Amino acid sequence: MIYFVNYTIGAFSKEVGLSIDTLRYYEKEKLILPKRNEINRRIYDSSDITWINFIKKLKQTGMPIKDIKEYAKLRYLGDQTIEQRMTLLYKQYDILVEKREEIELYTQFLLNKIDIYKEMLSERDIK
């Protein structure tokens, strides 16, 4: 038998590591659309945990909130939006690849300067 755990907003907040205010903001911005119980209180389940963790990862990639909102809207519209969601993910992927290349250039710049200083120190020690 499969049991589904439902969470109140307080329990869910602790589970996902976000404040209640943040969860309410996410709902206001339509990033997450929690179900409601018979007395209209928000209820969350394990699929909401997975979704919030995904949103957190998107934020960590640097994806702009407007793109995350668009992704969320498309997700809630269903599988017919997979291509559009992939487009958003590829767009962010391309940005990260470009940043990685920039970081590699900056890293090489610093290493070159470090090598110059090492050489200068080595020459100074020989004298």
Side-chain angles (χ1 to χ4, degrees):
M1 182 173 241
I2 298 175
Y3 292 99
F4 293 98
V5 177
N6 286 325
Y7 300 86
T8 62
I9 194 168
F12 187 72
S13 168
K14 289 179 180 135
E15 186 69 28
V16 298
L18 295 174
S19 71
I20 290 172
D21 288 338
T22 298
L23 292 172
R24 287 184 177 138
Y25 169 76
Y26 280 11
E27 183 179 356
K28 178 180 166 244
E29 295 297 318
K30 298 188 179 7
L31 292 175
I32 187 166
L33 304 175
K35 296 163 208 62
R36 298 283 181 150
N37 67 12
E38 58 280 348
I39 58 171
N40 204 32
R41 289 204 176 148
R42 295 169 185 87
I43 54 171
Y44 302 87
D45 61 29
S46 60
S47 68
D48 295 315
I49 292 171
T50 302
W51 174 233
I52 286 290
N53 287 332
F54 185 76
I55 290 172
K56 289 163 81 173
K57 290 287 187 195
L58 289 178
K59 287 179 69 175
Q60 289 172 339
T61 71
M63 183 180 274
I65 191 71
K66 74 175 186 56
D67 288 348
I68 296 173
K69 286 169 70 171
E70 179 66 15
Y71 189 99
K73 180 182 110 183
L74 293 167
R75 175 187 177 263
Y76 282 112
L77 289 174
D79 287 348
Q80 69 271 20
T81 66
I82 287 175
E83 288 181 11
Q84 295 103 311
R85 287 185 269 165
M86 281 181 56
T87 298
L88 287 169
L89 295 176
Y90 272 123
K91 175 182 166 188
Q92 190 60 30
Y93 173 82
D94 290 343
I95 290 168
L96 289 176
V97 167
E98 185 176 313
K99 284 183 180 184
R100 181 176 61 198
E101 290 168 357
E102 285 178 13
I103 289 171
E104 185 56 38
L105 287 172
Y106 300 145
T107 303
Q108 197 53 54
F109 165 79
L110 291 175
L111 287 175
N112 289 341
K113 191 63 172 178
I114 289 169
D115 286 344
I116 290 169
Y117 287 148
K118 282 181 177 179
E119 182 65 30
M120 289 172 70
L121 288 172
S122 146
E123 290 175 5
R124 189 175 73 183
D125 290 341
I126 294 175
K127 293 181 184 180

